[in-house]
C-alpha cells in the first residue's frame, strides 16, 4: 500500500526536478541582450501611448456576467438533453421537462430583471431638474459637468 504512495511521491519529485533543471539551464544558456524595444510592454504590436490603467465602462462587465450565466446554463442543460430520450422511455420525461422549463424560467426572470433595470442600454438617461422648465430627460453622455 505504501509502495503506491511512494510511486506518486517519486513522480512529483521527478517532475519538480525536471522543472528546476529546465529553468536553471535556460538561465545559463539563454542570450541576455536587453534593449529598449525588448523591455517595452507588448501591446499587440503597437507602441504604448499611455499608462496601463484606464477607466473601463462597467457595462462591459455586466454584459460579460450575463453571457457567463447563459453559457453556464448551456453547460448544465447539455447533459440533461443527452439523456432526455432515456428519461422519456423510463416514464420520467414529464418530470425532466418540468425541471428544464423551471430552470430556463428562473434564468429568463434574471434576464428580464437585468433588462428592466436598464443594464443593456449603453446610453442611460438621467432625469435632471430645471426649475424654469420642469423635469427634463437628458442622455448621460451629453451632460456637461
Amino acid at each position: 500500500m505504501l509502495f503506491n504512495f511512494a510511486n506518486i511521491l517519486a513522480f512529483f519529485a521527478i517532475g519538480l526536478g525536471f522543472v528546476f533543471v529546465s529553468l536553471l539551464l535556460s538561465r545559463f544558456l539563454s542570450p541576455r541582450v536587453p534593449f529598449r524595444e525588448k523591455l517595452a510592454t507588448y501591446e499587440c504590436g503597437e507602441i504604448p501611448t499611455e499608462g496601463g490603467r484606464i477607466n473601463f465602462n462597467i457595462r462591459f462587465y455586466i454584459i460579460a456576467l450575463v453571457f457567463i450565466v447563459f453559457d453556464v446554463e448551456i453547460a448544465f442543460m447539455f447533459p440533461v438533453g443527452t439523456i432526455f430520450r432515456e428519461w422519456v422511455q423510463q416514464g420520467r420525461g414529464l418530470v425532466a421537462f418540468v425541471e428544464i422549463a423551471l430552470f430556463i424560467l428562473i434564468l429568463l426572470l434574471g434576464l428580464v430583471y437585468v433588462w428592466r433595470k436598464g443594464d443593456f442600454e449603453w446610453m442611460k438617461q438621467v432625469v435632471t431638474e430645471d426649475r424654469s422648465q420642469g423635469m427634463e430627460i437628458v442622455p448621460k453622455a451629453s451632460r456637461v459637468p
Side-chain angles (χ1 to χ4, degrees):
M1 179 76 176
L2 290 176
F3 183 73
N4 293 334
F5 290 118
N7 288 336
I8 294 171
L9 182 62
F11 179 75
F12 279 123
I14 290 171
L16 287 175
F18 179 75
V19 169
F20 179 72
V21 169
S22 297
L23 289 173
L24 192 63
L25 282 175
S26 72
R27 179 81 172 161
F28 289 126
L29 298 177
S30 65
R32 301 270 184 244
V33 186
F35 50 93
R36 196 179 81 145
E37 287 83 11
K38 186 176 179 181
L39 296 175
T41 304
Y42 181 72
E43 196 171 302
C44 300
E46 299 290 328
I47 298 172
T49 56
E50 45 185 66
R53 304 248 179 207
I54 59 171
N55 288 335
F56 199 70
N57 195 340
I58 192 71
R59 291 185 189 99
F60 287 111
Y61 294 113
I62 293 171
I63 297 292
L65 286 174
V66 170
F67 170 77
I68 288 172
V69 165
F70 284 98
D71 194 39
V72 169
E73 171 196 0
I74 296 300
F76 284 134
M77 295 290 289
F78 185 73
V80 175
T82 57
I83 63 169
F84 186 70
R85 183 176 295 163
E86 294 173 19
W87 285 0
V88 169
Q89 291 172 352
Q90 295 172 358
R92 298 186 305 178
L94 183 62
V95 173
F97 182 74
V98 168
E99 288 178 357
I100 293 170
L102 186 63
F103 184 69
I104 291 174
L105 179 68
I106 291 170
L107 288 173
L108 284 177
L109 287 175
L111 178 66
V112 168
Y113 172 74
V114 172
W115 201 325
R116 293 285 297 159
K117 192 175 173 188
D119 287 335
F120 290 137
E121 295 177 16
W122 291 107
M123 297 289 291
K124 287 192 175 185
Q125 295 184 349
V126 177
V127 177
T128 60
E129 185 176 339
D130 186 8
R131 294 180 193 261
S132 63
Q133 298 177 359
M135 302 293 273
E136 179 183 2
I137 297 178
V138 179
K140 189 174 184 179
S142 67
R143 285 191 307 159
V144 178

